[in-house]
Amino acid sequence: EKAKFNERKTAFEEMRAEIIQREDDEQFAKSVAMYETIKSNQSAAMMMDLVAQGKIDEVVAYLDAMKPRSAAKVISEVQKEETQLAAELVERLKVYGLIPSTDEELTNADL
């Protein structure tokens, strides 16, 4: 149990450091501003392409950094095309920065 706890703690600390580094990155901020500036349907299409490339964590980071209204518009556009993906993005936003992404399936006890 202790080894498992330490492994999860290390994963959490690494994830938090990555988030902090990403949020301080000027290029990341420029990308977020771009996503907020273009039409929400265009942002949604671009983000869905990123998800298709396996970059869902990056999409969640963008959505988290966006103004809530802009992010909601993008999620709404995603929902028009892929309801399940929109729901997954909202759920990932809910725990963004709290739970490191792992291949291990989490249970309610972990949340």
Side-chain angles (χ1 to χ4, degrees), residues 7-109:
E7 183 179 308
R8 291 179 113 179
K9 181 181 177 206
T10 300
F12 175 79
E13 289 169 349
E14 289 171 357
M15 181 222 25
R16 290 299 306 156
E18 182 181 314
I19 289 171
I20 290 168
Q21 180 182 1
R22 184 182 296 142
E23 290 172 350
D24 288 342
D25 182 25
E26 185 178 334
Q27 289 306 115
F28 177 78
K30 286 180 181 180
S31 296
V32 170
M34 179 71 69
Y35 280 121
E36 288 180 323
T37 303
I38 62 177
K39 293 181 180 181
S40 56
N41 64 334
Q42 294 170 323
S43 291
M46 293 166 65
M47 289 186 185
M48 287 171 40
D49 284 344
L50 288 174
V51 170
Q53 296 171 28
K55 297 180 179 182
I56 195 165
D57 290 335
E58 286 85 349
V59 170
V60 173
Y62 287 135
L63 291 169
D64 182 69
M66 292 172 78
K67 295 173 189 148
R69 184 178 175 106
S70 298
K73 286 180 180 180
V74 171
I75 293 288
S76 179
E77 290 294 329
V78 171
Q79 188 272 334
K80 290 177 184 177
E81 299 292 321
E82 296 188 36
T83 305
Q84 187 173 0
L85 174 58
E88 183 176 352
L89 289 171
V90 170
E91 286 303 306
R92 285 177 177 247
L93 275 170
K94 180 175 74 174
V95 296
Y96 182 72
L98 302 177
I99 300 174
S101 4
T102 64
D103 293 334
E104 176 183 337
E105 189 171 322
L106 298 177
T107 65
N108 285 340

